[in-house]
């Protein structure tokens, strides 16, 4: 069965085709970064209007790349939440309408389940059960994953998400939106001069708090001449604090649950220093660690097509309702 996957929850329009036994067939993505850059963040109304312009042409491109006719698609998976309501509705309405006209099922996919399952697209997928660290622009979660749909939340961010903290810190350093990858680039030219805290690591528990790092960034910045070197050193300190905090919490989650497998996914998992420190920790703990390839860490259609395909194979789909949930707790998901 070929499954068409559609992602439009935020500022990326992405489409993919995944085949139940042959794997990923084709995928494409249009990023709206240039549209939102001048505003310093995503403007929801501009995002949804752009999804309307781009989605159908991208679906045609993917079908063309996959050398498939519409009649060969067996099901459609779309991101139904969490995300921006207008953007979600574009994907949901398009997916639902196509499924109706092609007389095939449509399945609503949870965006963070998509991220969580992205490493399954690789040649060496992680075995269940595992601990998942999901680090994206809107979420930071540690989850005990028993199987698809069997998610137990161990900890989450009490304030800013990891990606949000990267983006806000980058903004303070004068870097353009989205600042995460740019801050990482900046940090590679920095040195170990400032010491930032590792928030909430000195007390038990698996929750996170990153909003305090903004104060440290601001104070460090004001104590310097704000030269390019000063900013690189601050970026370095911020990234080290983030990487070490994530690493400490993952180690704690592995030990607490006795699990030996760690999956790390979501936009921030593309960060090379974070990957390096988590890898080092996992090796010391005798745990196996799995990441998606960098292009599937950030939003993409492949992860939605994959997650939707698993649910469709299990006989799950939605009725004619256009299903969109800006807020959608992961523990509300059904198992397979
Ligand atoms: O998963 P994602 O593409 O979208 C959401 O679901 O939110 O994550 C986007 C987030 C942004 O905050 C972005 O700055 C961050 O991931 N990000 C990074 C890197 N690449 C993307 N943060 C740090 N280092 C990176 N290399
Ligand atoms: Zn995402």
């Amino acid at each position: 069965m070929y499954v068409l996957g559609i992602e439009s929850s935020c500022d990326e329009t992405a489409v993919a085709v995944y085949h139940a036994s042959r794997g990923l067939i084709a995928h494409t993505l249009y990023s709206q970064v240039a549209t939102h850059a001048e505003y310093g963040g995503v403007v929801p109304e501009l995002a949804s209007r752009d999804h309307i312009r781009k989605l159908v042409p991208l679906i045609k491109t993917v079908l063309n790349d996959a050398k498939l006719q519409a009649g060969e698609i067996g099901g459609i998976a779309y991101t139904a939440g969490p995300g921006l309501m207008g953007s979600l509705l574009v994907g949901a309405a398009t997916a639902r309408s196509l499924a109706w006209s092609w007389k095939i099922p449509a399945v609503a996919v949870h965006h963070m389940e998509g991220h969580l399952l992205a490493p399954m697209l690789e040649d060496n997928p992680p075995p269940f059960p595992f601990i998942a660290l999901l680090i994206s622009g809107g979420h930071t979660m540690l989850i005990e994953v028993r199987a698809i749909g069997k998610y137990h939340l161990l900890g989450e961010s009490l304030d800013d998400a990891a990606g949000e903290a990267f983006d806000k810190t980058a903004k303070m350093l004068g870097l353009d939106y989205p600042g995460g990858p740019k801050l990482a680039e900046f940090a590679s030219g920095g040195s170990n001069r400032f010491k930032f805290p590792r928030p909430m690591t000195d007390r038990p528990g698996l929750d996170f708090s990153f909003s305090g790092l903004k104060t440290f960034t601001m104070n460090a910045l004001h104590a310097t001449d704000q030269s390019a070197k000063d900013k690189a050193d601050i970026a370095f300190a911020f990234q080290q604090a983030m990487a070490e905090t994530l690493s400490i919490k993952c180690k704690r989650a592995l030990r607490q649950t006795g699990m030996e497998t760690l999956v790390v996914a979501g936009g921030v998992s593309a960060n090379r220093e974070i990957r390096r420190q988590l890898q080092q920790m996992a090796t010391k703990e005798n745990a196996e660690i799995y990441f998606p390839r960098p292009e599937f860490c950030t939003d993409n259609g492949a992860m939605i097509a994959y997650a939707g395909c698993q649910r469709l194979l299990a006989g799950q789909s939605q009725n004619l309702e256009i299903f969109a949930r800006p807020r959608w707790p992961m523990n509300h998901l059904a198992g397979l």
Side-chain angles (χ1 to χ4, degrees):
M1 176 175 61
Y2 288 104
V3 176
L4 182 71
I6 295 176
E7 157 63 38
S8 72
S9 64
C10 190
D11 59 348
E12 255 107 28
T13 323
V15 183
V17 172
Y18 182 86
H19 185 269
S21 53
R22 291 175 50 215
L24 186 63
I25 306 294
H27 65 102
T28 188
L29 175 146
Y30 172 80
S31 168
Q32 302 177 355
V33 160
T35 308
H36 303 291
E38 63 176 297
Y39 303 97
V42 179
V43 183
E45 184 60 23
L46 293 182
S48 46
R49 289 181 194 200
D50 215 27
H51 287 306
I52 292 174
R53 279 191 287 270
K54 299 296 181 336
L55 187 50
V56 170
L58 286 176
I59 293 172
K60 285 184 179 160
T61 302
V62 157
L63 290 179
N64 206 31
D65 290 352
K67 299 186 175 56
L68 290 173
Q69 302 296 320
E72 292 171 88
I73 299 292
I76 304 188
Y78 63 95
T79 302
L84 302 171
M85 189 50 157
S87 294
L88 291 170
L89 278 173
V90 176
T94 307
R96 190 53 269 173
S97 308
L98 280 178
W100 180 77
S101 67
W102 293 348
K103 299 184 176 56
I104 54 175
V107 65
V109 173
H110 191 289
H111 182 79
M112 298 311 292
E113 177 172 79
H115 275 304
L116 191 153
L117 297 176
M120 300 294 181
L121 291 159
E122 303 305 325
D123 288 341
N124 174 29
F128 292 105
F130 54 76
I131 295 294
L133 171 70
L134 299 185
I135 35 180
S136 73
H139 296 84
T140 304
M141 298 190 272
L142 264 169
I143 301 172
E144 186 177 325
V145 179
R146 291 272 157 203
I148 294 181
K150 294 227 159 57
Y151 307 128
H152 173 61
L153 184 68
L154 299 171
E156 63 186 330
S157 178
L158 304 178
D159 41 55
D160 293 352
E164 192 180 353
F166 261 98
D167 295 340
K168 286 179 175 172
T169 303
K171 206 170 188 172
M172 286 186 210
L173 297 178
L175 304 173
D176 290 342
Y177 163 85
K182 291 190 183 112
L183 188 147
E185 218 180 291
F186 228 64
S188 63
S191 53
N192 199 359
R193 180 170 142 212
F194 299 99
K195 178 78 181 167
F196 279 28
R198 278 53 177 150
M200 295 183 74
T201 53
D202 56 354
R203 60 183 110 154
L206 294 168
D207 286 332
F208 303 88
S209 165
F210 295 120
S211 71
L213 292 177
K214 285 188 299 225
T215 317
F216 272 82
T217 302
M218 199 46 93
N219 291 344
L221 200 56
H222 286 156
T224 67
D225 297 336
Q226 308 191 8
S227 68
K229 175 71 178 121
D230 293 331
K231 289 182 179 178
D233 290 346
I234 293 170
F236 181 92
F238 170 85
Q239 186 173 261
Q240 288 302 311
M242 185 59 87
E244 205 185 323
T245 304
L246 294 172
S247 180
I248 291 170
K249 291 289 163 103
C250 286
K251 178 161 91 180
R252 201 176 280 176
L254 288 168
R255 287 189 179 179
Q256 197 170 302
T257 57
M259 295 254 190
E260 292 169 347
T261 308
L262 176 66
V263 163
V264 187
V268 181
S269 67
N271 184 283
R272 299 220 322 253
E273 179 61 14
I274 291 176
R275 287 169 92 104
R276 191 188 68 77
Q277 290 206 23
L278 286 168
Q279 177 71 66
Q280 204 174 44
M281 177 279 297
T283 306
K284 272 194 199 148
E285 294 294 303
N286 281 324
E288 291 292 328
I289 188 163
Y290 296 83
F291 300 95
R293 72 190 83 164
E295 68 172 322
F296 292 160
C297 287
T298 44
D299 291 349
N300 64 87
M303 67 186 195
I304 303 303
Y306 175 84
C309 183
Q310 307 317 308
R311 292 195 171 273
L312 287 165
L313 288 174
Q316 298 181 8
S317 64
Q318 268 66 44
N319 55 24
L320 289 177
E321 164 195 22
I322 292 171
F323 187 94
R325 293 263 160 94
R327 288 175 197 280
W328 189 10
M330 272 184 100
N331 58 6
H332 289 190
L333 297 179
L336 294 193

